[in-house]
Amino acid sequence: MKELWDKYPILKKQLEEFELYLLKILEVRQPLIREAIQELVKAGGKRIRPALVLVSGQFGRISHEELFPIAAAIEIIHMATLVHDDIIDEARVRRGVVTTQAKYGKDIAVFTGDYLFAKSFLLLSGKVDQEFLRRIARSVKYICEGEIDQYQNRYNLNVSYLKYFRRIRRKTAILFQASCFSGGFKAKLKKKYQIVLAKYGHYLGMIFQITDDILDVTSNQEVTGKPVGNDFSQGVYTLPLIFALEDKEVGPELGKALKEEVIDKDRIIKMIHSTDALEKTKRVIEFYTEKARAEIEKLPSSKPARFLEDLLYYIVSRNY
Amino acid sequence: MKELWDKYPILKKQLEEFELYLLKILEVRQPLIREAIQELVKAGGKRIRPALVLVSGQFGRISHEELFPIAAAIEIIHMATLVHDDIIDEARVRRGVVTTQAKYGKDIAVFTGDYLFAKSFLLLSGKVDQEFLRRIARSVKYICEGEIDQYQNRYNLNVSYLKYFRRIRRKTAILFQASCFSGGFKAKLKKKYQIVLAKYGHYLGMIFQITDDILDVTSNQEVTGKPVGNDFSQGVYTLPLIFALEDKEVGPELGKALKEEVIDKDRIIKMIHSTDALEKTKRVIEFYTEKARAEIEKLPSSKPARFLEDLLYYIVSRNY
């Protein structure tokens, strides 16, 4: 993604400022939470959500600093869900860095996540109007529902597309949508542009999650920083797998392989690759990409619009 | 506590209405969260925090229904912390009922708690002003800090009074304080009465937690619904134990007993009882009780003031 930022040096600089802002507002008194949280911030992440807030704001007249609290609140909510997510996944590494729960234990991870949620609401209250706060609180609710849905459907070989899309919408797309919407909202864009940005964010979020799910069966740990086959080995069946299970020849065998006591990840990945599942999944991504492009076209032709287009391209073609 | 409610039939009726309100607003679509949450509500609890909100509001002119969203938000925050707390304690029962984490697993418990936090902010936003929201978000932050402090100081035989008081202030007293304050604030009482109520809430919360800590070494599971000696066997050393550890004769031996691989709960409880630790702890409670009474005297003599006085008595003398 480095090349993307290099094309947009102003945004890049704003995000560097944002990074310092984020570290500053997360200076916590309690030493253990501080340590855990500072490590989380320093572990980085793509900061796509803050970037979306800032860029969406650029369609109007607002300084980037005014958008920092909202961008930070959304990124902090994202961090909180990651911390709690890792408890569920019993994940040892994320982004190549040892997770909070692996380093400090589940106990600290639970309250670090809670602390981050509280912090994000503290950041927002006073900075945005009540209707906006309600949207954010509702997003968090949806994220939780998505996570529990996912947990509840683990090892369910009959998980439908509908359920999969519903789940990733809640789990991922909603916060992308909120990021784009909030930048536009705060910059007081015309209502129609706020809606266009929200839709773009939604489609981008869907694409982001689906490519993530592709990477889980195509990439390797050195590139993504997390173990491959992580999802299906924990019973989370994503789109490539759902398509592969439909394959008349490979499907039944794959179903059996997934039910084995100790599953053979490499074999399962090979089986998926032997079907047209990845092709089909990529077609779904293309579908969403078209939708997202159509939204961008409704926006005034401008530098931020070009960024949204470029970002789309980077998300689709990312391999990390 | 039944006798207390019987003396205040109007409040009792309001709390019965509140119970239905709470169940209604916690009707969740996601089936598993709904089940877990409805069980939590039905498991009951003393509903002291909602009662404090309602009674504090009675010093002004406001209908009890108007206070329901705030009372519910505070009780839901309390429920969320209990759910997450039980993960840390690996508690199997609370209030005689199997905990969320024991029944559904840590994973569901994590997101059920998150869901409840989000829900409470959703309830509040739009219903209270931003400054009030900030207070609540800050309270949640403090609660998390208190919980982590407690976790970090487990098995620390040198835990000081100061740290103990700081911890229970965050863990418990802050939400009691917020309950009293918010009722008075929402009913638009004079600023000085809002402060008096907040102070009363603070002292009551301290008393509540200290009596809880006494019960952990004096009561039995059938009465409290949770195992006795639960705290110290998990390395959480509370006031009675801190005092007992100071005893010149028993202290060193007690310290050793606490460090044993498999601790002998009965023996430890007997050792505590052989010192003047419980006497001293009760004197601390008396100290706070006097403080709380002094605040009540600053309030207009009235039925709600009498309730606050009676509640104090019940909290101090409770054995469950």
Side-chain angles (χ1 to χ4, degrees):
Chain A
M1 217 148 126
K2 197 185 160 296
E3 311 98 86
L4 179 62
W5 300 137
D6 287 344
K7 270 179 73 178
Y8 297 90
I10 294 174
L11 182 61
K12 189 186 174 192
K13 208 169 158 292
Q14 289 178 357
L15 281 171
E16 284 164 5
E17 269 179 57
F18 173 76
E19 207 64 20
L20 298 176
Y21 174 82
L22 194 60
L23 267 175
K24 194 166 150 267
I25 55 162
L26 288 175
E27 271 170 10
V28 180
R29 262 182 311 182
Q30 211 291 334
L32 202 56
I33 313 187
R34 184 175 56 229
E35 192 184 315
I37 289 178
Q38 299 274 321
E39 275 174 25
L40 271 176
V41 176
K42 283 173 187 155
K46 303 173 208 67
R47 305 286 185 246
I48 293 178
R49 293 161 196 80
L52 287 173
V53 176
L54 297 180
V55 171
S56 301
Q58 286 178 8
F59 288 96
R61 280 173 204 277
I62 190 168
S63 75
H64 61 286
E65 289 98 343
E66 277 178 88
L67 293 169
F68 277 2
I70 291 179
I74 290 179
E75 188 68 5
I76 290 170
I77 287 172
H78 172 58
M79 286 164 63
T81 60
L82 290 186
V83 171
H84 280 179
D85 229 14
D86 288 337
I87 298 174
I88 299 220
D89 296 347
E90 311 221 335
R92 284 206 47 80
V93 282
R94 176 183 291 272
R95 295 168 185 158
V97 176
V98 176
T99 63
T100 308
Q101 75 105 5
K103 182 161 178 189
Y104 300 98
K106 289 195 179 191
D107 313 319
I108 297 298
V110 168
F111 284 111
T112 299
D114 291 353
Y115 184 93
L116 289 170
F117 277 126
K119 184 75 198 179
S120 70
F121 282 99
L122 195 53
L123 259 176
L124 287 176
S125 54
K127 293 287 191 327
V128 296
D129 72 6
Q130 300 264 15
E131 181 46 35
F132 186 82
L133 254 175
R134 291 181 68 78
R135 275 175 191 269
I136 297 292
R138 219 177 283 129
S139 302
V140 175
K141 250 183 56 183
Y142 287 140
I143 293 170
C144 294
E145 288 179 342
E147 293 285 354
I148 296 201
D149 259 348
Q150 172 172 313
Y151 185 80
Q152 206 178 4
N153 278 299
R154 278 173 324 153
Y155 303 106
N156 175 9
L157 290 174
N158 297 316
V159 61
S160 65
Y161 308 127
L162 205 73
K163 277 196 174 164
Y164 169 80
F165 289 123
R166 199 180 122 109
R167 185 217 298 167
I168 69 168
R169 182 167 66 82
R170 300 187 160 199
K171 208 180 96 162
T172 308
I174 276 179
L175 214 51
F176 274 72
Q177 184 176 334
S179 304
C180 292
F181 172 81
S182 61
F185 178 84
K186 191 76 186 169
K188 297 198 176 70
L189 302 193
K190 279 184 193 157
K191 196 84 188 166
K192 68 169 181 180
Y193 290 134
Q194 291 179 25
I195 294 171
V196 165
L197 284 167
K199 280 190 179 173
Y200 166 84
H202 167 76
Y203 298 134
L204 188 73
M206 297 298 279
I207 295 166
F208 184 85
Q209 188 56 54
I210 301 170
T211 53
D212 219 49
D213 294 340
I214 289 189
L215 288 171
D216 193 54
V217 295
T218 57
S219 190
N220 66 64
Q221 183 160 356
E222 278 146 50
V223 182
T224 59
K226 47 183 184 184
V228 181
N230 194 34
D231 289 334
F232 67 75
S233 64
Q234 299 203 39
V236 176
Y237 302 150
T238 60
L239 200 53
L241 205 92
I242 294 172
F243 280 131
L245 280 167
E246 275 190 341
D247 187 282
K248 287 224 172 67
E249 274 182 41
V250 179
E253 204 188 337
L254 177 59
K256 265 184 233 158
L258 287 165
K259 289 280 172 188
E260 274 165 20
E261 192 102 7
V262 180
I263 63 164
D264 182 344
K265 281 193 194 183
D266 290 340
R267 189 171 152 245
I268 288 170
I269 288 176
K270 271 186 200 138
M271 287 166 94
I272 297 170
H273 282 253
S274 76
T275 69
D276 59 355
L278 291 171
E279 278 310 304
K280 281 185 177 167
T281 307
K282 281 174 185 162
R283 246 176 279 149
V284 174
I285 290 177
E286 274 162 31
F287 168 80
Y288 279 117
T289 307
E290 278 320 303
K291 290 243 182 201
R293 279 221 179 88
E295 295 303 326
I296 295 172
E297 273 169 27
K298 295 176 194 164
L299 291 166
S301 168
S302 58
K303 193 140 194 186
R306 277 200 302 284
F307 175 82
L308 295 182
E309 178 110 33
D310 279 351
L311 180 61
L312 196 55
Y313 171 77
Y314 274 92
I315 296 289
V316 171
S317 54
R318 78 196 174 104
N319 59 354
Y320 53 91
Chain B
M1 219 147 125
K2 196 184 159 300
E3 311 97 85
L4 179 62
W5 300 136
D6 287 345
K7 270 179 74 180
Y8 297 90
I10 294 171
L11 181 60
K12 190 185 172 191
K13 207 169 157 293
Q14 290 177 356
L15 281 170
E16 284 164 4
E17 268 178 57
F18 172 76
E19 207 64 22
L20 297 177
Y21 174 82
L22 194 60
L23 268 174
K24 195 167 148 269
I25 55 163
L26 288 174
E27 273 171 9
V28 180
R29 261 183 312 182
Q30 211 292 335
L32 201 56
I33 314 186
R34 183 175 57 228
E35 192 184 315
I37 289 178
Q38 298 274 322
E39 275 173 24
L40 272 176
V41 177
K42 284 175 186 155
K46 304 175 206 69
R47 305 286 185 246
I48 293 178
R49 294 160 195 81
L52 288 172
V53 176
L54 298 180
V55 171
S56 300
Q58 285 178 8
F59 287 97
R61 279 172 204 278
I62 190 169
S63 75
H64 62 285
E65 288 97 343
E66 277 177 88
L67 293 167
F68 277 1
I70 292 179
I74 291 180
E75 186 69 5
I76 289 170
I77 287 171
H78 171 58
M79 285 164 63
T81 61
L82 291 186
V83 171
H84 281 179
D85 227 14
D86 288 337
I87 298 174
I88 300 221
D89 297 346
E90 312 221 336
R92 285 208 44 81
V93 283
R94 178 183 290 272
R95 296 171 185 156
V97 176
V98 176
T99 63
T100 307
Q101 75 106 5
K103 182 160 177 188
Y104 299 97
K106 287 195 181 191
D107 313 318
I108 296 297
V110 168
F111 285 110
T112 300
D114 291 354
Y115 184 92
L116 289 170
F117 277 126
K119 184 76 200 181
S120 71
F121 281 101
L122 194 54
L123 259 176
L124 286 176
S125 55
K127 291 289 192 327
V128 296
D129 72 8
Q130 301 263 15
E131 181 47 36
F132 186 82
L133 254 174
R134 290 182 69 79
R135 276 175 189 268
I136 297 290
R138 220 177 282 130
S139 302
V140 174
K141 249 184 58 185
Y142 287 141
I143 293 170
C144 294
E145 288 179 344
E147 294 284 354
I148 295 200
D149 258 347
Q150 171 172 315
Y151 185 78
Q152 206 177 4
N153 278 299
R154 278 171 325 150
Y155 303 106
N156 175 7
L157 289 174
N158 297 317
V159 61
S160 65
Y161 309 128
L162 207 71
K163 277 196 175 163
Y164 170 80
F165 288 123
R166 200 179 120 109
R167 184 216 299 167
I168 68 169
R169 182 166 66 81
R170 299 185 161 200
K171 207 179 95 162
T172 309
I174 275 179
L175 214 51
F176 274 72
Q177 184 176 334
S179 304
C180 291
F181 172 81
S182 61
F185 178 83
K186 191 75 186 168
K188 298 199 176 71
L189 301 192
K190 280 185 193 154
K191 196 86 190 166
K192 68 169 182 180
Y193 290 134
Q194 291 180 23
I195 295 170
V196 165
L197 283 168
K199 281 191 177 171
Y200 166 85
H202 168 75
Y203 298 134
L204 188 73
M206 296 299 278
I207 295 167
F208 184 85
Q209 187 58 53
I210 301 169
T211 53
D212 219 49
D213 294 341
I214 289 189
L215 288 171
D216 193 55
V217 295
T218 57
S219 189
N220 66 64
Q221 183 162 357
E222 279 147 49
V223 181
T224 58
K226 48 183 183 185
V228 181
N230 193 35
D231 289 334
F232 67 77
S233 64
Q234 300 204 37
V236 176
Y237 302 151
T238 60
L239 200 52
L241 206 92
I242 294 172
F243 280 132
L245 281 165
E246 274 191 340
D247 187 282
K248 288 225 171 64
E249 275 183 39
V250 178
E253 202 188 337
L254 177 59
K256 265 185 234 158
L258 287 165
K259 290 280 173 188
E260 277 164 19
E261 193 101 9
V262 180
I263 64 166
D264 182 344
K265 281 192 193 182
D266 289 341
R267 189 172 151 243
I268 289 170
I269 288 177
K270 270 187 200 136
M271 286 165 94
I272 297 170
H273 283 254
S274 76
T275 70
D276 58 356
L278 290 170
E279 278 310 304
K280 281 184 176 166
T281 307
K282 281 175 185 161
R283 247 175 279 147
V284 174
I285 290 176
E286 273 162 32
F287 168 80
Y288 280 117
T289 308
E290 278 320 303
K291 290 244 185 201
R293 278 221 181 87
E295 295 304 325
I296 296 172
E297 273 170 26
K298 294 176 195 164
L299 291 166
S301 167
S302 58
K303 193 141 195 187
R306 277 201 301 285
F307 175 81
L308 295 182
E309 177 110 36
D310 279 350
L311 180 61
L312 197 56
Y313 172 77
Y314 274 93
I315 297 288
V316 171
S317 54
R318 78 197 173 105
N319 59 354
Y320 53 91

